[in-house]
Amino acid sequence: VLLVESGGGLVQPGGSLKLSCAASGFEFSNTDMSWVRQAPGKGLEWVAAITKASDNTYYAEYLKDRFTISRDNAKNTLYLQMNNLKTGDTAVYYCAIQLSNGLGERGQGTQVTVSS
């Protein structure tokens, strides 16, 4: 299993970023996926999940109005569109395999810094 996140960076409050996660080494199109994040000095926080055929998406309640999870199974890629970013969104963002009883493997992460 290999998950490689990209698209992070420095953005001003109110800005947008779109993260990507390139997946390989497993049957991506048959796997539910999630995004999680870890802010400095804090634990891992679940952000959003999407079912294998994109028929259902799930969000942390306080993020659902600003973040959108999506996927392209033809490209083996998971996405996270983040709008109206806030300083509290600063974290390392990881894509992860979503298992029935928790999270499986995740990537190395991509840093998102929201600062003026």
Side-chain angles (χ1 to χ4, degrees):
V1 172
L2 183 62
L3 298 166
V4 180
E5 300 91 340
S6 62
L10 174 64
V11 63
Q12 292 186 340
S16 297
L17 281 176
K18 187 173 185 177
L19 306 183
S20 299
C21 171
S24 61
F26 65 103
E27 193 176 1
F28 178 76
S29 61
N30 199 33
T31 305
D32 298 340
M33 299 293 297
S34 280
W35 286 97
V36 297
R37 69 184 184 182
Q38 188 165 24
K42 297 187 177 181
L44 207 59
E45 176 188 19
W46 175 77
V47 172
I50 186 168
T51 52
K52 55 190 177 183
S54 302
D55 45 340
N56 285 296
T57 56
Y58 307 91
Y59 297 91
E61 185 68 23
Y62 46 90
L63 296 175
K64 66 179 183 178
D65 292 334
R66 299 189 293 117
F67 288 17
T68 303
I69 189 172
S70 62
R71 65 193 295 163
D72 185 338
N73 287 345
K75 295 182 178 180
N76 280 6
T77 303
L78 179 72
Y79 302 101
L80 184 68
Q81 176 69 47
M82 306 185 294
N83 298 327
N84 190 21
L85 283 161
K86 306 178 185 300
T87 55
D89 296 318
T90 295
V92 178
Y93 285 73
Y94 303 89
C95 63
I97 290 175
Q98 180 65 54
L99 303 174
S100 58
N101 60 350
L103 294 175
E105 291 92 337
R106 66 176 189 258
Q108 86 292 342
T110 186
Q111 175 71 48
V112 172
T113 302
V114 184
S115 175
S116 55

